[in-house]
Amino acid sequence: MNIPESFLNELKQRTDIEDVISSYVALKRCGSKLVGLCPFHNEKTPSFTVFTKTQSFYCFGCGTGGDAIGFIKRIENLDFIDAVKFLAKRTGLQIPEKELNDSFGSEYETLYEINKETADYYHSYMLSKEGKKGLDYLISRGLEKSTINKFNLGFAPDCRNSLLFHLLDKGFWIGDMVAAGVVRNTQKGYCDTFRKRLTIPITDLSGKVIAFGGRTIDGTMPKYINTAETRIYKKSGGLFALNIAKNSCKKSIILCEGYMDAISMHQAGFDNAVAGCGTALSNEQVELLKRYSREVILVYDCDDAGQKALNRAIGKFRAANINIKVPFLYGGKDPEEIIRNLGKEQFAQMLYTAPDDIGYAISHLYQKYNLSTIQGKLDLISEAAVILSAASSIERNLYISQISGNLDVDRESLKAQFDLLL
Ligand SMILES: [Zn+2]
């Protein structure tokens, strides 16, 4: 991608770094500099510094630094060209169109275009008479037309090459379709990747389609096929619906396991919900969440697999120093069902008043052990001691009081027992 030097210079001149950064970070003047809490690492005293004179920033804590474009790249998770576009839009500058279509950027541009065309094609197919089965399924799962349109959900025909021919018609090359992951090159020839499946477009932070989740509606296994990694899509790097959730002003982000869960939550007004893309939670995703929110609410499935994934996620968030809440879900097997059965107010109550991970783990113990027996109480105490070893001393003391009340055990002897087990 060649952005003319003259354009970049003009953009830099018209961009005030203080103005750009202060829409993300609360800055305080300190002599000729401005300081604030670094958005790229966790800190309690400000080491993030903005130098208005040189129009640059530097964090003395984590060493991140650069100019306004560098800041936008990092905080919005954009590549250079998209960061330039982002700032240009903000300042009302027009990038010369011709330059944008030139050079190596266009290779990626083609993949984005193919994905967009694919999403639209499957969406219109679903709204046609032939694709009604897909639409009926989504409606049976409680989705409204407006939600289906908002997420551009679609349905793929049960046909080997319908997308391939459609894209050829639009002037795309087969090689690029394969590179985008929407067509596969098999031993029997080229074949559309998503056949007879619902298509859920996955977008990057700027809203461009970069991949798809494909879900069966007739019990065919596997239930989900996702786009394999491509030049514009890295599975472990993204979060479904984060492009919408990042604009929500709520202080927390809701993380759930499935696309459908996230979509149902958005429909009910929880526009701060995101989902992983069919893989275990990665460190990159944890970092991404940390960038957009101080708190993550974990909505995982109640089955064994879900609980195992939940425990792994809790470990990762704790290590990354992110506050989490773990709600006890009831009233249905997934968010859509819970919202349908109990209403969104009660679901919101469940989420926003949820305990943190330690509270969640301790509460589980009360169900796990038979507390009418002495052995049950003793077992609970030893397991609670293990859980509380990860807690701060103030947290530990609060839980000791709570447990002593609940088990009707003298607080001091319980505390002594805990200190022994630690
Ligand atoms: Zn920093």
Side-chain angles (χ1 to χ4, degrees), residues 339-360:
I339 293 164
R340 182 154 33 96
N341 291 339
L342 304 178
K344 53 189 169 194
E345 287 75 20
Q346 200 166 336
F347 184 63
Q349 174 94 356
M350 241 180 254
L351 299 189
Y352 295 117
T353 62
D356 66 6
D357 53 326
I358 291 183
Y360 179 81

Side-chain angles (χ1 to χ4, degrees), residues 38 41 59 62:
C38 178
H41 86 281
C59 171
C62 66

Side-chain angles (χ1 to χ4, degrees), residues 37-43 47-48 58-64 74:
L37 291 175
C38 178
F40 305 120
H41 86 281
N42 205 34
E43 63 176 5
S47 45
F48 181 85
Y58 184 74
C59 171
F60 292 92
C62 66
T64 309
R74 190 77 204 270

Side-chain angles (χ1 to χ4, degrees), residues 100-334:
L100 281 179
N101 295 326
D102 277 355
S103 76
F104 77 78
S106 62
E107 175 202 1
Y108 295 113
E109 242 9 90
T110 306
L111 302 189
Y112 290 123
E113 281 167 20
I114 287 176
N115 279 316
K116 172 77 173 83
E117 191 59 47
T118 301
D120 291 348
Y121 173 68
Y122 288 146
H123 182 69
S124 7
Y125 177 74
M126 187 169 71
L127 299 181
S128 72
K129 209 171 85 210
E130 293 76 25
K132 195 172 171 298
K133 234 181 4 181
L135 185 64
D136 288 346
Y137 175 83
L138 288 177
I139 288 170
S140 78
R141 287 283 308 259
L143 294 195
E144 292 158 13
K145 282 254 172 73
S146 57
T147 309
I148 291 166
N149 292 337
K150 179 176 175 187
F151 287 93
N152 207 10
L153 304 178
F155 188 53
D158 184 14
C159 174
R160 239 185 119 72
N161 293 130
S162 65
L163 176 74
L164 187 143
F165 287 123
H166 173 77
L167 292 175
L168 277 178
D169 253 7
K170 293 276 167 185
F172 293 106
W173 291 348
I174 293 183
D176 288 333
M177 299 174 204
V178 174
V182 297
V183 167
R184 287 183 304 135
N185 188 3
T186 69
Q187 282 179 336
K188 290 188 204 152
Y190 292 105
C191 171
D192 296 355
T193 306
F194 306 102
R195 287 172 54 185
K196 229 171 76 180
R197 283 174 182 266
L198 289 172
T199 53
I200 301 143
I202 298 166
T203 62
D204 64 10
L205 285 170
S206 67
K208 280 194 280 199
V209 182
I210 49 172
F212 292 89
R215 188 195 197 285
T216 52
I217 59 169
D218 57 5
T220 315
M221 293 307 269
K223 191 159 120 187
Y224 276 99
I225 291 182
N226 290 296
T227 304
E229 305 227 329
T230 68
R231 289 199 289 273
I232 56 169
Y233 176 58
K234 200 164 163 275
K235 275 184 188 186
S236 59
L239 285 162
F240 176 71
L242 185 60
N243 60 311
I244 303 172
K246 78 182 169 97
N247 300 322
S248 144
C249 300
K250 302 193 177 79
K251 71 181 176 78
S252 43
I253 283 188
I254 305 165
L255 173 65
C256 53
E257 287 189 282
Y259 308 118
M260 296 301 280
D261 292 337
I263 293 171
S264 304
M265 280 195 260
H266 278 257
Q267 175 168 288
F270 300 91
D271 51 3
N272 51 338
V274 302
C277 298
T279 48
L281 187 72
S282 71
N283 293 330
E284 278 164 286
Q285 287 167 327
V286 170
E287 282 303 313
L288 202 54
L289 286 166
K290 189 173 177 176
R291 203 172 298 164
Y292 289 105
S293 187
R294 301 221 164 272
E295 181 181 84
V296 179
I297 302 172
L298 304 175
V299 174
Y300 277 57
D301 293 350
C302 301
D303 58 10
D304 272 359
Q307 291 302 301
K308 273 191 191 135
L310 174 66
N311 286 329
R312 277 196 301 270
I314 288 174
K316 282 200 153 91
F317 284 117
R318 222 164 224 277
N321 234 330
I322 303 180
N323 292 334
I324 47 177
K325 279 186 172 171
V326 190
F328 291 100
L329 300 174
Y330 55 88
K333 65 177 183 330
D334 56 38

